[in-house]
Amino acid sequence: MDLIQRFINYTKFDTQSDENSQTVPSAHEKHLTFAAYLKAELEKEGLEDVEMDEKGYVYATLPANIKGEAPVIGFIAHYDTSPDCSGENVNARIVKNYDGKDIVLSEGIVSSPEKFPELLQHIGEDLIVTDGHTLLGADDKAGIAEIVQAMVWMKEHPEVKHGKIRIAFNPDEEIGMGAHHFDVEKFGCQWAYTMDGSDLGDLEYENFNAASARVMVKGVSVHPGYAKGKMVNANVVAMEYASLLPADERPETTEGYEGFFHLLHMTGGVEEASLQYIIRDHDRGKFEDRKVLVKRIAEKLNEKYGEGTVSIEVSDQYYNMKEKIDPQMHVIDIVLRAMMEVGVSPKVEPIRGGTDGAQLSFKGLPCPNIFTGGVNFHGPYEFASCQVMEKAMKTIIKICEITASYNE
């Protein structure tokens, strides 16, 4: 089986995460079904120590084919897809030799370079697209396919020397839970790489510091005809809360290293209202300041409307992996060398988001993020380049080869 067919096979499984679930994995039956498929596939391909735990985490080993000591490294990808768009009945097809024009996904649904100019970076390539009704799932089934295909290729080419390689596939990355039950000790690597990036050459080892904030407002409901001086409308207080956050520090107004407050959900009535935010910043100091601000606004409104009107819960989600990667820059140097040797120009940029690698880095497993070839994740206009996927697979192989002779 080749890389592209392997990936398309994976897209046929619906593995959409459920952010409201209390189970692990979140989409219990769907996730465990695909995990079992991966386990069987890895066993069929001849990998060793293949294991699937009760939470749907799959681990396997490609044994070393050299004598002596070499670092044990790993490659990780998540198999869940985003809650933002359906992953059911994905209908993937290949647009051969893309000509730079509009791609008709289905009647009335068009992927246009006018709206998605990144398409123009892939003229002449073969693009895997959807029918416009689901996401594709390159985030992150492309990463899984590339890892598996790289392991199969190295088994078939013993002339390429490598140390012990560990691989792992997990659920629930898309809801921020993927690393929570990842067994770093069992994985047994000195460092690892998540194959969860986007376009050609992407290499990321800086990400947001991240927190969630839930703002709850309690109002006082009184007949509107007699409400003067008595009613406290929870909807109005919630809107006032939102208005007190900086208007120019939202996702739609920021880029690069700029942080933001993002209002995800809001519900409300006169008696009760709630706001759900995510808080993001690359700079740890600014991140802490943002958390202080959301609490101060609650305090200010309580002074105005009465104690207990506004309450807030702030929870940290993950931190910037850069502080864990910086002391071990050989982990990055190896990837840069591997990319150059397979003809890829590296693009080192901060992630305006997070990966499992961020949390894993803080669990003692340095874990930067590498491109997979997918673009426009989390929506029906997602696509993947076959040629870039091949480059990602070759990058994995070259990393293994370089690491075999690495000496600290």
Side-chain angles (χ1 to χ4, degrees), residues 121 174 178 183 192 196 237 240 243 262 268 283 316 352 359 365-366 369-370 386 391 405:
Q121 303 299 315
E174 296 291 0
D183 194 330
D196 192 20
V237 177
E240 186 174 353
S243 73
H262 179 35
D283 183 278
D316 286 359
R352 285 184 61 79
Q359 295 184 49
L365 182 66
N369 193 40
I370 298 174
C386 296
K391 287 288 189 181
S405 58

Side-chain angles (χ1 to χ4, degrees), residues 77-249:
H78 66 90
Y79 57 75
D80 64 310
T81 60
S82 172
D84 296 344
C85 184
S86 174
E88 185 177 10
N89 299 320
V90 173
N91 184 18
R93 67 182 175 91
I94 301 175
V95 177
K96 294 282 190 179
N97 192 22
Y98 174 59
D99 60 6
K101 299 178 182 177
D102 287 358
I103 301 174
V104 178
L105 303 178
S106 290
E107 185 176 354
I109 304 176
V110 177
S111 184
S112 169
E114 184 176 344
K115 186 173 183 180
F116 303 107
E118 52 270 30
L119 281 165
L120 299 177
Q121 303 299 315
H122 298 280
I123 292 174
E125 298 175 9
D126 302 326
L127 305 185
I128 310 169
V129 300
T130 74
D131 62 7
H133 296 287
T134 68
L135 49 66
L136 178 62
D139 181 14
D140 187 23
K141 291 170 183 168
I144 298 174
E146 290 153 6
I147 293 169
V148 174
Q149 199 68 27
M151 299 303 110
V152 171
W153 189 94
M154 285 190 286
K155 274 183 60 66
E156 294 173 349
H157 294 81
E159 70 276 11
V160 175
K161 302 304 179 184
H162 58 83
K164 180 180 178 180
I165 310 298
R166 291 280 280 159
I167 65 174
F169 307 129
N170 60 270
D172 292 337
E173 188 270 353
E174 296 291 0
I175 58 173
M177 302 290 288
H180 286 205
H181 301 281
F182 192 103
D183 194 330
V184 170
E185 184 177 352
K186 177 166 63 179
F187 198 46
C189 294
Q190 292 172 245
W191 69 85
Y193 302 96
T194 50
M195 298 299 298
D196 192 20
S198 185
D199 215 344
L200 182 67
D202 285 355
L203 172 59
E204 300 153 331
Y205 64 95
E206 297 182 66
N207 60 276
F208 278 138
N209 295 289
S212 64
R214 184 173 179 231
V215 180
M216 294 149 288
V217 183
K218 289 190 177 295
V220 178
S221 181
V222 179
H223 188 290
Y226 309 94
K228 185 173 181 179
K230 303 172 186 176
M231 178 185 286
V232 178
N233 190 324
N235 287 317
V236 173
V237 177
M239 288 190 294
E240 186 174 353
Y241 184 97
S243 73
L244 292 172
L245 287 169
D248 59 349
E249 296 181 16

